[in-house]
Amino acid sequence: MAVPKRKMSRASTRMRRAQWKATPPTLVKAIDSNGKVTYSLPHRAKVVEDSAGTPLFMEYKGRKVADV
C-alpha cells in the first residue's frame, strides 16, 4: 500500500474531495407486450417473470444467465 511522504494540508484534502460529484443513475425505459412500462439499469441482468408475476430466471441481452 502506498504511504504518503508528507502530511496533506486541510485545504488540499478538501479541494480534492470537492471534485467528487454524485450522478443519478441512467435508466432505460422498456415497454412490455402488455403495455407495462418498466425502467432498468443498462448493462444489468433483468428478471423475467411469468404472467402471474413469479420470477423465473434472469436474462441479459436476450440470453438466460441465472436462475432465480
Side-chain angles (χ1 to χ4, degrees):
M1 185 173 144
V3 178
K5 195 163 194 166
R6 298 192 186 279
K7 183 177 181 178
M8 194 172 200
S9 69
R10 281 187 189 163
S12 295
T13 301
R14 290 174 180 164
M15 188 167 32
R16 185 192 73 245
R17 288 180 181 160
Q19 298 304 313
W20 186 87
K21 295 169 186 68
T23 57
T26 55
L27 297 177
V28 177
K29 182 179 180 180
I31 301 173
D32 296 342
S33 59
N34 301 336
K36 181 180 175 186
V37 177
T38 57
Y39 294 93
S40 62
L41 295 169
H43 300 289
R44 303 288 201 297
K46 66 175 185 174
V47 177
V48 176
E49 299 174 340
D50 61 1
S51 59
T54 308
L56 300 172
F57 58 89
M58 296 183 78
E59 84 174 355
Y60 180 72
K61 292 187 178 180
R63 297 178 182 172
K64 181 179 173 183
V65 292
D67 290 323
V68 176

